[in-house]
Amino acid sequence: MTATAWRAAAVLLVAGALGGCGSLATRQAPPEDVAFTPEPAVETARQAMLALSPQWSFQGRVAVSKGRNGGSGRIDWQQQGDAYQVSLAAPVTRQSWQLSGGAGQAVRLDGLQGGPRSGGDAGQLLLQATGWEIPVEQLAAWVRGMPATGAQAARRGFDAEGRPRVLQQDDWRIDYLDWYPPEGERPPLPRRIDAVNGDAKVRLIVDEWTLGQP
């Protein structure tokens, strides 16, 4: 199979797999203007608590699009230090794909027609395989409301309770639209996130967070 044909098949497979779950709502209000301010003390404390849990996971629903290509489905993200394993699945069609990498290991993408693919950059691997632009390496930090390390300096704005409201980094704007309140030793964590970079969009609703061992 040629590279062009393989990429076309990959796009159809992933879009079809995710499309079987039904899509998240696509209409939304324009991003509101948020003042970029220094990090408040309550956010510094929240990040310090998160640093105590290098092993974490979440399950939820995600919608991704890049131009006319897009779809939605279930997401399961498992993180252990720098290593991650991300699964996307469409229960109706029973199709899925998995992305794993980090901690010095090569990135591996499974579930595509033609067999697994490997590379050194998760975002580039997904873009080449599916035509979608998803900042996987940065999302591990962004999904928890934190700026990504090893990237451009971030600009941030905070809500009335001192939680992140908007984060701009590496040409992406991430809006934190809803939060889970603190529970026990768990600090506040995002419930709903919208990330946009031009015509690339990632919308995430987290149904469950787990910090530490499940």
Side-chain angles (χ1 to χ4, degrees), residues 5-95:
W6 177 83
R7 175 172 172 170
V11 170
L12 290 174
L13 177 62
V14 176
L18 296 180
C21 275
S23 61
L24 301 179
T26 56
R27 291 186 179 181
Q28 61 182 29
E32 62 183 82
D33 291 331
V34 177
F36 295 100
T37 58
E39 180 178 288
V42 65
E43 172 60 12
T44 302
R46 190 187 74 89
Q47 292 191 32
M49 293 180 68
L50 291 175
L52 299 176
S53 298
Q55 184 173 344
W56 52 270
S57 64
F58 72 83
Q59 293 77 44
R61 292 158 282 163
V62 64
V64 296
S65 63
K66 173 71 172 174
R68 295 185 177 181
N69 294 327
S72 61
R74 299 290 309 177
I75 183 171
D76 184 329
W77 188 302
Q78 305 285 332
Q79 188 86 18
Q80 186 166 4
D82 293 329
Y84 58 84
Q85 182 171 319
V86 184
S87 300
L88 279 167
V92 174
T93 61
R94 297 185 180 179
Q95 292 177 303

Side-chain angles (χ1 to χ4, degrees), residues 95-187:
Q95 292 177 303
S96 64
W97 57 265
Q98 299 81 38
L99 182 72
S100 58
Q105 59 181 302
V107 181
R108 179 184 172 99
L109 181 62
D110 291 279
L112 297 176
Q113 186 174 353
R117 295 278 165 164
S118 299
D121 183 277
Q124 284 299 314
L125 183 62
L126 276 176
L127 183 61
Q128 294 168 6
T130 67
W132 292 350
E133 188 173 353
I134 304 177
V136 177
E137 304 292 351
Q138 295 93 329
L139 272 179
W142 292 349
V143 75
R144 292 177 293 159
M146 303 164 62
T149 58
Q152 297 176 359
R155 302 173 67 203
R156 292 183 290 164
F158 302 88
D159 63 18
E161 298 184 38
R163 303 169 304 194
R165 172 59 185 83
V166 63
L167 185 156
Q168 288 187 349
Q169 190 174 31
D170 284 356
D171 298 324
W172 284 84
R173 173 180 169 124
I174 301 93
D175 282 281
Y176 299 92
L177 305 178
D178 195 13
W179 285 79
Y180 283 103
E183 182 177 313
E185 297 183 358
R186 190 188 75 185

